[in-house]
Structures are given as C-alpha cells and as structure tokens.
Amino acid sequence: MNNPICIYLSPYDILRPRTNQVSDVRFCEGFSQNNCEVHLVTPFVYRNDNIKKEDVNKIYELESEINIRYLATPFKKDISGIWKTIYIAVKSIFKVLRIINNSPSTKEIFILSRSAPLIQAIITTKKLFPWKFKKSKIVFWAHDFKEKPNYFKVYKKSDALLVTNSSIKEDLCKKTGIKPENVFVTLNPITEYQANQNITKKEARIQIGLNDIIETLIVYTGKLAIDYNKELIYILKAVKLNKNVKLLCTGGKPEVINYWKNWCIENNIENILFTGYISDYSKIKYYQYAADILISYYTNQGHDVRYNFPNKLCEYMLTGNIIITPDYPATKDILNSSNCMFAVPENEEELSKTIQYIISNFAEMNVKANKAKLEVRKYTFKERNKLILSFLRNINDK
C-alpha cells in the first residue's frame, strides 16, 4: 500500500513555540516517523520574538522531516477573532488544494486539524469540489468537547474523529450518536526523542543554575497570565503554607511577571522563582527534571475539567518526579493513584497537605514516580500515530 499524505492545518503560528504549537508540530512528526509525507500548514505572524525558521527542528527537537507550509499573513500578534479566522481558513483551503493537485492521484490523503473552523472550511470545500477529495479523509482532532451547533456539524461531517482522552470520547458519542469505532483516543504523547533521553536531577539543576538549592523544589511549567490566574493563586497560597519549599514557575511576559511578583509581595510570599518567557522550548525539560515535585493544579477557569488533558502531564511523568494533580476524568487514561498524587481540587489547604505528605513520604513517592516514568514511555507520537494511521485507513465512511 502507498504511504499516505498527511496535511495538518494548525491554527497557531509555530515560530512562537508554546504548548499547542509544540503539540501540533510533534503530532506531525509522529506521522513522518510512520513513513507519511507530511505537510504542516501554519500561519506566519510577524513577531519580534519569533524563532528562526531554520531553528524549528532544533527547538522542537524533531528527528524526522516535515514539510512546513507557511501562510503569509499581515498579522503581528495573536490570531483571534472571526475575521482573522476566516482569513486563515481561506488561505488554508488554497494551500490544501495546491498540495492535492501536486500529489499522485493514487495517494490516500488525510486532512487533519484541531481547529473546528479550519475543518469546517475543508468540509465546505469538499462539498463544492467533491472530485478534488476522492482519495481524502477529513479528520478533526478534538482536545475538548463543545456542545455547540457548529461543533456538532464538524463532529458529524468529519470522516473520522480523534480525541485526546476517553472522557471526551464517551460524552461525544453519547450526545452525537457517533459510533465509538469512528473515534480514536490519541492521548497527549511524548516524542521518541524525549522517551530516549536520560537527564538526571543534578544535570538539570546545573543547566538552569539551581544546583545549590536546598529547599524542596516544586516546579510548575504552565501558562502565566494576569486574567487567567485561579490555578496559580491556589498553588501560591499552598506554597505559602509550606515554608520549607521553593516554587519555580516558567513562562510569562515581563508585565505578567511584574504583576505576579507584586502579588507575592502583597501576600507575603517569598519562596518563589519566576523564569519569565523561555523562547527555546527545548529548555523547559530541564526545569521539569530539576524538580522534586511537579504540579498541575488546573481549575475550571478556561477549561471544562471533564475534558481538559494538560499536554505537560506526559512530560511530567517522563522525569521520574512525583506529580500532584486533581483527580479529573480527562487524565484517567494515564494517571491513577499508583503513579501520582491526587489533590483535592481548588483548595489551597488541601493542596498544602498533599505537599506536606509527599515531603514526609519521599520513598513512597519515588515508587509512584518511577512507575509513571516506565508507563509513559509507550505513549510516544510515533507509536500512537501508527495506531491512528491504521484506524484512519480502516474506518468506514459515516
């Protein structure tokens, strides 16, 4: 059988690496590692802090080639709003048609995206020009489940659905009537490169200049913002109750870091370090490996906790450091009481108690953390995408 062509439409500008961008790029690499011809279609945004195009492979730590198709845009900041979305969708349509036109007619083509508007645009184009898409399947990769009419159209009219966790799959199938066999759970994997790395805590701390730290180091590698703050407030308040720990948070623009530093001063919190925005995403791993405790204490702010599966959790598992997280449905595919520590959600006192328990029982914690490290190594993009390709090739048209 001919190896298929995978066209992935990203709604994000990959020259500014963040969690979603990293996920999209590495997802594409997983197809390349399974002998697919991969085209990543991504908008180009004119930012002063863009990484160089020639540095993409290095910063995203890619081992396999993907064809990156940049969409020229006039934009200079985040792509949001209906008109920008329409602009990107139209540009993406023309790029997809060009790739299809230049591809052998015998090749099977999978057109994928996590963006409902981009998938809807391709579905509409297929309806207008069906002969162009004879060998193509349109695939929506859902990182959430939204009960909105436009999303229901995408769910039902896509040829196949990928979802990041079983919680999404269960409710999506129940509420749309889509057959479970037409939905595949991808998880949020790691790369082969990550799985094969062996970084010690000592090496990681030297890399980030914390080799002389004596407190228990808690690390949070997540989103830092001013208006998106519930998770961090709970973490900071819990850390305040534990004087023998140091919290380190990565990310954040200068104005955001200044806001949180002032907030900590006003609330008498001293045991905290902020790194600021780290443009080289490949350096984030050193902060994760340097930790004694890794924390992901997300809330219902900006997420539906039934479906939100933080990308960083599999990266956290890989370090061999104990993880604290709430026990939410979306993470049950990979986390359980034998490989992490669950904390009562949205309660700084209970979170503080969990931190104290970990510090007092590190031998028990090491067993859990090592179990997580062994288990996560099978969840790589290469291995998951091999299963995805089998699923897509064999799926019956709905």
Side-chain angles (χ1 to χ4, degrees):
M1 182 183 292
N2 287 331
N3 292 323
I5 296 170
C6 293
I7 306 172
Y8 186 85
L9 309 180
S10 178
Y12 306 111
D13 51 324
I14 68 164
L15 297 182
R16 194 181 192 203
R18 288 183 170 182
T19 300
N20 291 330
Q21 285 90 330
V22 171
S23 174
D24 281 0
V25 172
R26 291 176 173 175
F27 184 58
C28 288
E29 187 195 29
F31 287 115
S32 179
Q33 290 172 325
N34 283 281
N35 302 313
C36 295
E37 177 185 327
V38 179
H39 300 267
L40 168 58
V41 180
T42 177
F44 179 88
V45 178
Y46 292 86
R47 301 181 189 271
N48 292 329
D49 58 353
N50 278 353
I51 65 171
K52 296 178 181 179
K53 290 180 181 179
E54 57 266 30
D55 290 337
V56 166
N57 285 8
K58 170 181 170 288
I59 288 176
Y60 284 90
E61 298 183 319
L62 301 183
E63 295 182 302
S64 298
E65 282 297 319
I66 58 177
N67 301 302
I68 303 176
R69 310 300 185 189
Y70 293 100
L71 302 175
T73 78
F75 307 138
K76 296 182 179 180
K77 55 183 179 180
D78 289 342
I79 304 168
S80 60
I82 186 170
W83 294 112
K84 288 183 179 180
T85 301
I86 291 172
Y87 183 94
I88 295 299
V90 171
K91 300 271 291 191
S92 296
I93 289 168
F94 282 105
K95 186 67 73 173
V96 168
L97 289 174
R98 191 173 297 118
I99 294 170
I100 291 174
N101 287 339
N102 292 332
S103 300
S105 59
T106 56
K107 285 276 189 177
E108 190 173 18
I109 299 175
F110 301 125
I111 305 169
L112 311 97
S113 182
R114 69 162 76 205
S115 166
L118 292 181
I119 288 293
Q120 182 62 63
I122 298 299
I123 290 170
T124 301
T125 306
K126 182 178 180 179
K127 187 175 181 181
L128 294 172
F129 308 103
W131 63 91
K132 291 283 188 183
F133 295 84
K134 283 184 179 179
K135 297 285 289 183
S136 301
K137 287 181 180 177
I138 300 172
V139 185
F140 181 47
W141 187 23
H143 288 239
D144 199 347
F145 174 55
K146 296 186 183 295
E147 297 185 63
K148 297 180 180 180
N150 57 322
Y151 277 82
F152 271 71
K153 289 180 183 178
V154 169
Y155 297 145
K156 292 186 176 182
K157 294 189 177 182
S158 297
D159 296 305
L161 295 172
L162 307 177
V163 297
T164 57
N165 60 78
S166 297
S167 185
I168 296 175
K169 178 176 179 176
E170 182 179 347
D171 282 359
L172 189 153
C173 293
K174 185 187 302 181
K175 295 180 182 181
T176 64
I178 293 172
K179 297 177 181 178
E181 56 265 31
N182 288 331
V183 184
F184 185 88
V185 176
T186 66
L187 307 176
N188 280 326
I190 55 174
T191 65
E192 292 288 311
Y193 180 82
Q194 289 174 297
N196 292 324
Q197 282 187 316
N198 186 21
I199 301 171
T200 67
K201 193 186 301 287
K202 182 179 179 180
E203 290 168 342
R205 291 188 175 187
I206 290 173
Q207 283 285 338
I208 62 175
L210 287 179
N211 50 310
D212 58 350
I213 194 167
I214 58 174
E215 299 95 338
T216 298
L217 183 62
I218 302 175
V219 172
Y220 168 78
T221 59
K223 183 176 180 179
L224 289 189
I226 294 172
D227 55 350
Y228 179 87
N229 56 21
K230 281 183 69 176
E231 178 177 12
L232 188 53
I233 287 175
Y234 282 120
I235 295 171
L236 289 170
K237 287 182 175 180
V239 166
K240 182 180 179 180
L241 298 173
N242 288 271
K243 299 299 183 182
N244 57 337
V245 305
K246 181 80 77 176
L247 173 68
L248 184 149
C249 298
T250 63
K253 297 177 181 178
E255 62 270 23
V256 174
I257 298 302
N258 287 334
Y259 170 86
W260 284 111
K261 284 183 176 179
N262 290 330
W263 192 94
C264 289
I265 291 170
E266 291 169 5
N267 289 273
N268 298 313
I269 302 174
E270 299 178 349
N271 49 337
I272 182 162
L273 299 170
F274 293 102
T275 69
Y277 176 62
I278 300 172
S279 60
D280 188 344
Y281 194 88
S282 67
K283 304 299 184 187
I284 300 293
K285 63 191 175 192
Y286 293 115
Y287 294 91
Q288 296 171 342
Y289 275 94
D292 295 304
I293 300 171
L294 289 162
I295 191 163
S296 175
Y297 198 66
Y298 59 104
T299 73
N300 59 9
Q301 185 183 38
H303 305 290
D304 187 325
V305 294
R306 293 173 296 174
Y307 310 124
N308 182 47
F309 181 172
N311 287 343
K312 61 177 172 273
L313 282 179
C314 282
E315 293 182 351
Y316 276 10
M317 292 173 73
L318 189 59
T319 66
N321 296 320
I322 191 65
I323 300 166
I324 302 177
T325 189
D327 188 8
Y328 288 137
T331 61
K332 289 188 180 298
D333 289 309
I334 62 164
L335 293 180
N336 54 67
S337 58
S338 71
N339 62 17
C340 75
M341 280 296 294
F342 290 124
V344 175
E346 304 198 28
N347 186 316
E348 64 266 20
E349 291 183 357
E350 291 297 326
L351 178 56
S352 174
K353 289 178 183 177
T354 304
I355 293 171
Q356 292 168 13
Y357 182 87
I358 290 173
I359 293 171
S360 300
N361 297 274
F362 259 120
E364 176 191 345
M365 298 304 108
N366 285 336
V367 172
K368 291 176 182 283
N370 286 328
K371 188 171 188 293
K373 183 175 182 177
L374 288 173
E375 291 173 343
V376 77
R377 288 178 183 272
K378 62 185 177 184
Y379 300 135
T380 67
F381 278 109
K382 181 179 179 180
E383 293 304 314
R384 297 303 294 177
N385 285 27
K386 183 188 297 184
L387 299 175
I388 290 169
L389 285 169
S390 177
F391 162 75
L392 294 178
R393 281 173 156 162
N394 293 304
I395 194 169
N396 295 320
D397 293 334
K398 293 182 288 193

